Amino acid sequence: MLQRNIRRPRSRRAGAAMVVMICGMATAVPSRSAAQEPGGPLTLEAATRIALDRNPADRAAREGVAIAREAVGEARAPYYPEVGVASGYARWERHAYLPSGFSSPNLASTIGPTNDWFAGLTGSYLLFDGGQRAAELRAAMARQAGATDEAARIRQDLVLAVHRAYFGLGGALDARVVADENLARAEDHLRLARERRAAGAVAGADVIRAQVDVADARLRLVRAQSLIRVGAGQLNSVMGLPVETPVTLTADREPVAPPDDVDLPAALRDAIQARPVLEAARQRVSAAASAVEATQSVFRPKIRTDWGYGLRDSEFFPRDPDWSVGVSVRWSLFNGYATEHRVARARLEQAKDQAELAGLELIVRNEAWSAYWKLKESFEAIEAAAVLVTGARDSVRVATERYAAGAGTVTEMLDAEAALARAEAARVEAQWGHRVARSTFAWATGHLAVPATPDNAPPTSARGRSWQ
């Protein structure tokens, strides 16, 4: 079970590292790429490296890039000649058709039966294809670039998921600290109410009210502990580990910087230019354009040269040389309008990809726009929550002193305590919400840093600048 010995209210130490053991075990998370010592705390960077190393989504993306690379090699193959080996055996007999008047009683009208043994090399080369090979190669290269950008998108999405899960768990841990402190305050107020009841200064209803408040504080603590377990499972799942894996978390509280220095128009332009999802969509449009060119090449003739050399004889092993060289031209004049429909379909697919690209640009701009204002909102919420907590603490102190002196009621004291609990919870939510908003804004503008790992080199579309 989770344990933290907190029984008296205490001030939060800004800048101190928070180290909490999930599941009560100081066990390091196994990973080849995690920069984490055995039993040491899990940093955000280490969690990200574990996810890039262990999460199946990133592994599937890398395999997709490898598949696209092999497809490019396949598209290059028609530029090389085809060479093969042919051999076989046949026994045949054919009727001989002689010219009129050229006959003799001693001349047979059939040839054979005879054996035919042959073995040799064959080859062919496409001399002209109307641009089909070049267009198909360009399409394959565009799809490879699109697969690379898609892998970059998956990696950025995965990193964002790690950030959200990591910060979510950090927020749950802070919420537990707040719940512990609220429980400690509630127990102190119950003790104070019992002392005043024993002295005959207040009625028994004050003790009952304080007991109810303690029970409510314990319920909030139980909920906070449940959120920690759920958050730990979510973080493990994102990292590609079993949900029950023990993990130690540390979260350094770095200074919070205002987002006033962010150039929103420039951020929107960066989102359009740097987001891998748009790069992948642009490559799909390019591949569709090349597919149209490849389909149109069917209207042009195909010129091919064929050759062969070998040995042929009626006995095994054949000894007589046999060779051939030729050039053929093939031009499809009519195939039931199949080519016209194929070209029309390719153009419609290109138009569809262009429309999807335009729609994605609108979505990306909206994501960057929303992420920016959410970032500003979260920063302002931190400032407002800090003022709220300061005022609530003063209210609790004054109400407690008034109640101890007999000048206040238990209702005033417990209401002030409840207000402080809400204020501290709002501050925790604002602080960790700002971290999530900052990572989301970096992701929305295409600048979320993706660390390199030994098994995961940074993609070509990754940008070096980060909003972190």
Side-chain angles (χ1 to χ4, degrees), residues 256-297:
V256 178
D260 297 334
D261 58 342
V262 176
D263 187 352
L264 182 56
L268 295 177
R269 290 192 299 270
D270 286 347
I272 297 299
Q273 296 173 1
R275 283 286 294 275
V277 64
L278 289 180
E279 291 293 330
R282 294 185 186 104
Q283 295 299 337
R284 285 195 296 270
V285 172
S286 177
S290 298
V292 172
E293 296 179 11
T295 306
Q296 289 174 333
S297 68

Side-chain angles (χ1 to χ4, degrees), residues 154 172 225 373:
I154 291 175
Q225 291 171 335
W373 292 110

Side-chain angles (χ1 to χ4, degrees), residues 29-30 54 232-247:
V29 179
R54 301 290 295 273
Q234 184 175 359
L235 178 59
N236 278 323
S237 179
V238 172
M239 290 191 299
L241 303 174
V243 293
E244 69 275 11
T245 303
V247 56

